[in-house]
């Protein structure tokens, strides 16, 4: 490892390390350390000023004598003292550097000469610098831990927010799927009811056609037979026909969600009525529906669910209450 890299790892600034190595002519690590400790409070000299100083070698004897005389006149002032804090400095550059750092403005000349640092003082100064560097590194490590923990908490928070958003999206998707299934179930039940109604209509049509053909075979007038079987529109005040003559049953079905009114063929069973109720609400399943009458009070059994409305005495009209097993 080079001397420069070793000094940089100790925490010294690049410019000061370069100054120390140049001033000691790269004599080694220890001379550079001595230079850094001895000039720790001095500002790093400007290379252009050093070039100007090197050009002073071109002065003639008269100029050199004048400079020497001027130096002799100023030799009485050994140092500068900061009247604000009491620190002493070797030259104006150091005093200016101190003024910039501290903001102090009151300085005075002093005849007290600043002694160079002894070996013990240099070692103490070096230990002080190392302690400061260690303290700085420890603070930085502690700050890095705090930053790392803050970043981890932030990462976890973002992860939790992402999970919550995903769960909410999944919940909404499940709700949409459930609504779609309910809609499809209702539409399917309605389609089945429509098919059954069409089947019943086809049955009636076939029965009417068979009756017409039978009347023709027997030599009777089919239109007259149909007229006799159909109720006369001009006789509404006549007594109603007996139950055996009714072909349809008008049913009022009471459910917790409201009343349903429907008309079914008299030869339909209670199971057909249960299918109709299930097609109107998702709250019911065909196999779990029960029916009962209010007056007289009667609950139909599972065996009666296969009987026709006509057999159960529910024609021409009846009121039923829906229950569940």
């Amino acid at each position: 490892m080079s001397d420069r890299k070793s000094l940089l790892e100790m925490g010294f600034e690049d410019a000061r390390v370069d100054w120390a190595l140049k001033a000691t002519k790269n004599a080694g690590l220890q001379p550079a350390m001595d230079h850094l400790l001895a000039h720790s409070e001095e500002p790093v000299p400007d290379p252009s000023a050093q070039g100007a100083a090197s050009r002073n070698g071109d002065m003639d004897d008269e100029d050199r004598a004048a400079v020497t005389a001027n130096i002799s006149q100023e030799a009485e002032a050994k140092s500068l003292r900061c009247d604000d804090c009491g620190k002493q400095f070797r030259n104006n550059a150091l005093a200016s550097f101190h003024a910039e750092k501290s903001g102090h403005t009151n300085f005075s000349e002093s005849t007290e000469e600043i002694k160079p640092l002894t070996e013990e003082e240099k070692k103490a100064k070096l230990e002080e610098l190392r302690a400061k560097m260690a303290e700085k590194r420890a603070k930085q490590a502690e700050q890095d831990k705090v930053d790392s923990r803050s970043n981890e908490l932030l990462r976890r928070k973002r992860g939790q927010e992402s999970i919550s958003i995903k769960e909410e999206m999944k919940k909404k998707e499940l709700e949409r799927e459930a609504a779609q299934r309910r809609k499809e179930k209702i539409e399917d039940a309605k389609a089945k009811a429509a098919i059954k109604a069409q089947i019943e209509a086809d049955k009636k049509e076939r029965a009417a056609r068979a009756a017409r053909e039978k009347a023709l075979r027997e030599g009777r007038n089919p239109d007259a037979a149909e007229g006799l079987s159909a109720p006369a529109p001009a006789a509404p005040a006549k007594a109603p026909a007996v139950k055996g003559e009714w072909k349809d049953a008008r049913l009022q079905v009471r459910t917790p969600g409201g009343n349903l009114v429907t008309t079914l063929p008299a030869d339909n069973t209670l199971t057909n009525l249960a299918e109709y109720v299930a097609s109107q609400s998702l709250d019911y399943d065909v196999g779990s529906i029960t029916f009962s009458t209010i007056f007289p009070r009667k609950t139909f059994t599972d065996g009666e669910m296969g009987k026709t409305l006509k057999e159960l005495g529910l024609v021409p009209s009846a009121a039923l209450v829906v229950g569940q097993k």
Side-chain angles (χ1 to χ4, degrees), residues 249 251 264-266 268-270 307-315:
L251 303 173
L264 295 178
N268 272 19
T269 64
L270 274 182
K307 292 184 177 182
T308 65
L309 303 176
K310 183 177 181 180
E311 291 173 340
L312 296 174
L314 301 178
V315 292

Side-chain angles (χ1 to χ4, degrees), residues 75-291:
E76 295 180 1
K78 303 295 183 179
S79 62
L80 292 173
R81 178 188 296 274
C82 176
D83 296 334
D84 294 330
C85 65
K87 289 186 177 181
Q88 286 185 303
F89 307 95
R90 288 188 176 87
N91 50 43
N92 289 331
L94 290 175
S96 299
F97 182 71
H98 173 72
E100 291 177 2
K101 289 179 61 178
S102 62
H104 297 167
T105 57
N106 299 318
F107 294 88
S108 61
E109 295 181 348
S110 174
T111 57
E112 183 179 352
E113 184 178 1
I114 300 176
K115 297 179 181 180
L117 296 176
T118 63
E119 291 298 327
E120 290 75 9
E121 290 174 338
K122 289 180 182 179
K123 291 180 180 180
K125 191 72 172 177
L126 180 60
E127 291 299 327
E128 182 183 352
L129 290 174
R130 287 176 177 171
K132 288 182 178 180
M133 289 170 55
E135 182 181 359
K136 183 178 179 181
R137 289 173 182 171
K139 289 183 179 179
Q140 185 62 40
E142 188 66 25
Q143 184 62 38
D144 291 342
K145 288 182 181 180
V146 173
D147 294 342
S148 177
R149 180 172 177 80
S150 299
N151 293 335
E152 178 65 17
L153 292 175
L154 182 60
R155 185 190 65 80
R156 291 182 182 179
K157 182 178 179 181
R158 289 177 178 174
Q160 292 174 353
E161 291 176 351
S162 177
I163 292 174
S164 299
I165 292 173
K166 290 180 180 179
E167 290 178 350
E168 185 65 23
M169 292 176 63
K170 185 176 181 180
K171 181 180 178 181
K172 290 182 179 179
E173 181 65 22
L174 292 175
E175 290 176 353
R176 286 195 295 269
E177 292 178 357
Q180 182 65 24
R181 286 195 297 269
R182 287 195 297 270
K183 181 179 178 182
E184 291 175 354
K185 187 174 181 180
I186 292 175
E187 291 177 352
D188 189 35
K190 289 182 177 179
K192 289 180 179 179
I195 292 172
K196 288 182 179 180
Q198 183 63 41
I199 291 173
E200 294 300 327
D202 292 343
K203 286 182 180 179
K204 290 182 180 180
E205 184 179 354
R206 286 195 299 270
R209 187 166 57 251
R212 183 181 180 86
E213 291 174 354
K214 182 178 180 181
L216 290 173
R217 285 196 302 271
E218 293 176 354
R220 292 184 289 108
N221 186 354
D223 295 332
E226 290 179 1
L228 291 174
S229 62
K238 281 186 177 182
V242 297
K243 289 186 178 180
E245 298 178 359
W246 292 97
K247 296 182 179 181
D248 297 320
R250 180 176 175 80
L251 303 173
Q252 182 178 8
V253 184
R254 298 180 183 179
T255 68
N259 293 341
L260 301 174
V261 178
T262 185
T263 300
L264 295 178
D267 56 355
N268 272 19
T269 64
L270 274 182
T271 301
N272 296 132
L273 179 59
E275 291 174 350
Y276 167 76
V277 173
S279 70
Q280 302 301 310
S281 174
L282 293 177
D283 296 333
Y284 297 103
D285 185 69
V286 175
S288 64
I289 293 178
T290 62
F291 294 104

